[in-house]
Amino acid sequence: MFPDFSSARVLVVGGSSGIGLATAKAFAAHGAQVTIASRNADKVAAAVAEASAGARGTVQGAQIDTTRDDDVVRFFADGQPWDHVVVSAAQTPTGQVRKLPLADAYAAFDSKFWGAYRVARAVQIRDGGSLTLVSGFLATRPSKASVLQGAINAAVEAIARGLALELSPVRVNTVSPGLIATPLWDKLDATARQSMYDGAAASLPAKRVGQPEDVANAILYLAGTPFSTGSTVLVDGGGVIAG
Ligand SMILES: NC(=O)c1ccc[n+]([C@@H]2O[C@H](COP(=O)([O-])OP(=O)(O)OC[C@H]3O[C@@H](n4cnc5c(N)ncnc54)[C@H](OP(=O)(O)O)[C@@H]3O)[C@@H](O)[C@H]2O)c1
């Protein structure tokens, strides 16, 4: 059972889709005053409408591009403290080290690692509040097709552990998802996507593909548990222990 997040100010950066949207909906359902922020105004507006249905709290939208230093500084310039902040924003080109163009590799790190870094550097969070970053299973279970993504995820986990010391008494944690059915995979055609989901469901101990709500659940657990900081919570269907 989650604590009552009533009146908590919650920011979900990357809240317009997938894991971030499920997280925004869950916080709103538990009474929080949620702000959904990402780059695309239309996606933000649609997410606000979706998260508002069934909310006990309030939901509003805002625009931010975490790859832009000036935009992140502008976003947090009012200095108003948040209770809980989640960063799930990322757009990461991926591929083999020998094949992925260097510019794409830099862009991937800039989006996911440096994006989270910029937010952590600029945001104000109340004492005892939380910052939760999102990494991914490739940090601990690398794939030869996505070596860089594993390195980015490991860097995200490392910075969260360090920030848990630097920002204390603000708590900083990471959630590491396994394969989750989100719009991230819309880049695949429907047949390839379904076959990837079916393959994961067959091989994972949990015997199903992950849903964004599974990850949102872990994020609310971390935000609502005052003794949790510096931790990485795997939500991977048992992938890390599967053969
Ligand atoms: N889905 C999986 O299987 C999986 C597995 C492991 C890890 N993860 C990680 O989980 C996180 C969330 O993934 P997801 O599956 O929820 O992806 P998603 O559905 O594609 O959502 C990504 C979100 O990030 C926002 N975003 C992207 N770049 C941004 C930027 N520069 N500034 C602000 N917002 C930005 C997008 O909105 P706009 O387009 O409006 O900006 C969108 O709201 C990512 O870090 C991903 O690597 C996902």
Side-chain angles (χ1 to χ4, degrees), residues 12-21 36-44 63-68 71-72 87-92 110-112 115 134-138 149 153 156 175-185 196-197 209-210 212 215:
V12 185
V13 182
S16 69
S17 176
I19 291 166
L21 176 54
I36 290 173
S38 73
R39 296 165 302 180
N40 183 305
D42 292 339
K43 282 170 69 178
V44 169
Q63 268 181 287
I64 186 172
D65 183 344
T66 61
T67 64
R68 290 184 45 202
D71 208 34
V72 175
V87 183
S88 67
Q91 186 170 23
T92 52
D110 191 44
S111 175
K112 184 155 177 174
V134 178
S135 60
F137 68 99
L138 292 170
Q149 190 69 45
N153 290 339
V156 167
V175 168
S176 177
L179 180 65
I180 310 294
T182 73
L184 179 78
W185 300 111
M196 182 178 73
Y197 291 162
V209 71
V215 186

